Amino acid sequence: MKTQLTTNLFSQLICSNCGDIFSGFLLNTISTCCNKPLLANYHLDQYLPKELIKVNDHSMWRYFSLLPIADKQNIVSLKEGGTPIISLDKLAANNDITSVLMKDEAFNPTGSFKARGISAAVSKAKELGIDRLIIPTAGNAGGALAAYCAKANMQCIVVMPEHTPTIFKNECRLLGAELILVKGLIDSCAKKVQEIQQSKNYFDVSTLKEPYRLEGKKTMGYEIAEQLDWALPDVIVYPAGGGTGLIGIWKALQEMLKLGWIKGPLPKMIAVQSENCAPLAMAAHHRSNWKENFLARPTIANGLAVPFPFGMELMLNVIESSGGQVITVSEQEIIEAIKDVSRTEGVLLCPEGAAAWKAIELLAKYKKISSENKVLFLNTASGHKYLESIKNYL
Ligand SMILES: *Cc1c(COP(=O)(O)O)cnc(C)c1O
Ligand SMILES: [Zn+2]
């Protein structure tokens, strides 16, 4: 008989600012003490040998013990996660880096890593008896929510900027969501969501205003460690929008340290943004007053167009405590990177993934990463979803 890793170690939610405790089995959104994101906590002092995971399935739910769902019956899955890590040897050699690894999130359902967070959020919503969900999105999260709501027989409203490429809109419509288009960026969509949510009684699954998308995204951290045989890269490069992946991967690393699954030193966490919308870069330099003169424009990397991320402080903490930094790249550089990588390695990156690769190229050029470093970046979606966006630059 196979041993199954079925114990669940989820304990409670805590305020990311002051540590106050909230129930993970009642409906909670943000901390009512400080109005900050809530983080899921686990009983990590319990003995949980990492070898046990090997018998579980190959979706992100193989880490069920470390995910916030009490009853496996509530899992809503389309087999998200378990994405490959690919070695980009030619790019590494051309840039004099020992190893460039890419975790290719294009392999997820709905073609982006948003599937991970949304699978966790929809599963938890089911566990809590919620069946009407609403989301502000720059594109990919809306498609993912529409898909998982269809699977779970839930009602779904997606609010998206009207300038978003058609493919993201049609994806939501095909998957049965109600689509609402709004002028502006995702922050304008979030305001619209606030209105609708109150009048129509829909539950808002905005990034970090709902505690569980982060938990789905953190599984990238577990997978990176497990797939690299628990020997972490020196640098992880992440294209950051709302920041769940950046915060989530770091959270997973901290959890694995406590579980004794990995040893330090931990990788430097590098966040990459588009010059058109780089609130992290602004905030890193002007921590208290960055919002005053902040201007954001749309970018071809629509996943990065998040002008006022709710998880700003958590992101800055990850970057600082890991010894990382923020890098910005131009639209031109993103497009060049898509072309370079597709011609060199045969992978069609999404613009967000291309931005991450470009950042590595810049870091290598200015000797900010040494030639011995093992570097890993995330290609966060399939480039095929962006063929329409890039057609004018071919
Ligand atoms: C949402 C998104 C991002 C940014 O992810 P966050 O976790 O919100 O920082 C990056 N790339 C793509 C393709 C996305 O859809
Ligand atoms: Zn608090």
Side-chain angles (χ1 to χ4, degrees), residues 14-22 31-38:
I14 57 162
C15 169
S16 57
N17 191 51
C18 75
D20 261 15
I21 293 172
F22 294 79
S31 76
T32 47
C33 43
C34 309
N35 290 326
K36 294 290 175 193
L38 288 169

Short mmCIF file of all heavy atoms in Angstrom, two decimals, residues 14-22 31-38, ligand 2:
data_model
loop_
_atom_site.label_atom_id
_atom_site.label_comp_id
_atom_site.label_asym_id
_atom_site.label_seq_id
_atom_site.Cartn_x
_atom_site.Cartn_y
_atom_site.Cartn_z
N ILE A 14 -2.56 34.85 10.12
CA ILE A 14 -2.04 35.90 10.99
C ILE A 14 -1.87 37.21 10.21
O ILE A 14 -1.61 37.20 9.01
CB ILE A 14 -0.68 35.52 11.65
CG1 ILE A 14 0.36 35.19 10.58
CG2 ILE A 14 -0.83 34.36 12.62
CD1 ILE A 14 1.77 35.24 11.12
N CYS A 15 -2.02 38.31 10.90
CA CYS A 15 -1.83 39.63 10.31
C CYS A 15 -0.35 39.79 9.95
O CYS A 15 0.52 39.59 10.79
CB CYS A 15 -2.27 40.71 11.29
SG CYS A 15 -1.78 42.37 10.76
N SER A 16 -0.09 40.16 8.70
CA SER A 16 1.30 40.27 8.26
C SER A 16 2.02 41.46 8.91
O SER A 16 3.23 41.56 8.86
CB SER A 16 1.36 40.40 6.73
OG SER A 16 0.61 41.53 6.30
N ASN A 17 1.24 42.34 9.53
CA ASN A 17 1.85 43.51 10.17
C ASN A 17 2.11 43.31 11.66
O ASN A 17 3.22 43.58 12.13
CB ASN A 17 0.96 44.74 9.95
CG ASN A 17 1.64 46.02 10.35
OD1 ASN A 17 2.76 46.28 9.91
ND2 ASN A 17 0.98 46.81 11.18
N CYS A 18 1.11 42.80 12.40
CA CYS A 18 1.27 42.74 13.86
C CYS A 18 1.20 41.33 14.42
O CYS A 18 1.42 41.12 15.61
CB CYS A 18 0.24 43.63 14.55
SG CYS A 18 -1.42 42.91 14.54
N GLY A 19 0.86 40.33 13.59
CA GLY A 19 0.85 38.95 14.07
C GLY A 19 -0.43 38.53 14.77
O GLY A 19 -0.53 37.40 15.25
N ASP A 20 -1.45 39.39 14.82
CA ASP A 20 -2.74 39.00 15.39
C ASP A 20 -3.30 37.80 14.64
O ASP A 20 -3.09 37.65 13.44
CB ASP A 20 -3.73 40.17 15.29
CG ASP A 20 -3.85 40.92 16.60
OD1 ASP A 20 -2.97 40.73 17.47
OD2 ASP A 20 -4.81 41.70 16.75
N ILE A 21 -4.05 36.99 15.38
CA ILE A 21 -4.53 35.71 14.83
C ILE A 21 -5.98 35.81 14.34
O ILE A 21 -6.82 36.43 14.99
CB ILE A 21 -4.41 34.62 15.92
CG1 ILE A 21 -2.92 34.38 16.20
CG2 ILE A 21 -5.10 33.33 15.49
CD1 ILE A 21 -2.66 33.48 17.37
N PHE A 22 -6.23 35.21 13.18
CA PHE A 22 -7.57 35.14 12.60
C PHE A 22 -7.85 33.70 12.20
O PHE A 22 -6.92 32.96 11.87
CB PHE A 22 -7.66 36.05 11.36
CG PHE A 22 -7.53 37.52 11.68
CD1 PHE A 22 -6.28 38.08 11.91
CD2 PHE A 22 -8.66 38.32 11.77
CE1 PHE A 22 -6.15 39.43 12.23
CE2 PHE A 22 -8.54 39.68 12.07
CZ PHE A 22 -7.28 40.23 12.30
N SER A 31 -6.55 41.81 7.35
CA SER A 31 -6.57 41.89 8.81
C SER A 31 -7.36 43.13 9.23
O SER A 31 -7.16 44.22 8.69
CB SER A 31 -5.15 41.94 9.36
OG SER A 31 -4.58 43.23 9.18
N THR A 32 -8.27 42.95 10.18
CA THR A 32 -9.08 44.08 10.63
C THR A 32 -8.31 44.94 11.64
O THR A 32 -8.69 46.08 11.89
CB THR A 32 -10.39 43.57 11.28
OG1 THR A 32 -10.06 42.52 12.19
CG2 THR A 32 -11.33 43.03 10.21
N CYS A 33 -7.20 44.42 12.18
CA CYS A 33 -6.38 45.22 13.10
C CYS A 33 -5.59 46.29 12.34
O CYS A 33 -5.56 47.44 12.75
CB CYS A 33 -5.43 44.31 13.88
SG CYS A 33 -4.66 43.04 12.86
N CYS A 34 -4.95 45.91 11.24
CA CYS A 34 -4.04 46.83 10.55
C CYS A 34 -4.41 47.07 9.08
O CYS A 34 -3.70 47.80 8.38
CB CYS A 34 -2.61 46.28 10.60
SG CYS A 34 -2.04 45.82 12.22
N ASN A 35 -5.49 46.44 8.59
CA ASN A 35 -5.84 46.51 7.17
C ASN A 35 -4.70 46.07 6.26
O ASN A 35 -4.39 46.72 5.26
CB ASN A 35 -6.29 47.91 6.77
CG ASN A 35 -7.64 48.25 7.38
OD1 ASN A 35 -8.49 47.38 7.54
ND2 ASN A 35 -7.81 49.50 7.75
N LYS A 36 -4.05 44.96 6.63
CA LYS A 36 -2.93 44.43 5.85
C LYS A 36 -3.24 42.99 5.44
O LYS A 36 -4.18 42.38 5.95
CB LYS A 36 -1.66 44.44 6.72
CG LYS A 36 -1.17 45.83 7.07
CD LYS A 36 -0.60 46.55 5.87
CE LYS A 36 -0.23 47.98 6.23
NZ LYS A 36 0.03 48.82 5.08
N PRO A 37 -2.44 42.43 4.50
CA PRO A 37 -2.68 41.05 4.08
C PRO A 37 -2.59 40.07 5.26
O PRO A 37 -1.80 40.28 6.20
CB PRO A 37 -1.55 40.78 3.08
CG PRO A 37 -1.17 42.12 2.55
CD PRO A 37 -1.36 43.06 3.70
N LEU A 38 -3.40 39.03 5.19
CA LEU A 38 -3.34 37.93 6.15
C LEU A 38 -2.49 36.81 5.55
O LEU A 38 -2.57 36.55 4.35
CB LEU A 38 -4.75 37.39 6.42
CG LEU A 38 -5.67 38.29 7.26
CD1 LEU A 38 -7.11 37.76 7.21
CD2 LEU A 38 -5.18 38.36 8.70
ZN ZN B 2 -2.46 43.64 12.60
#
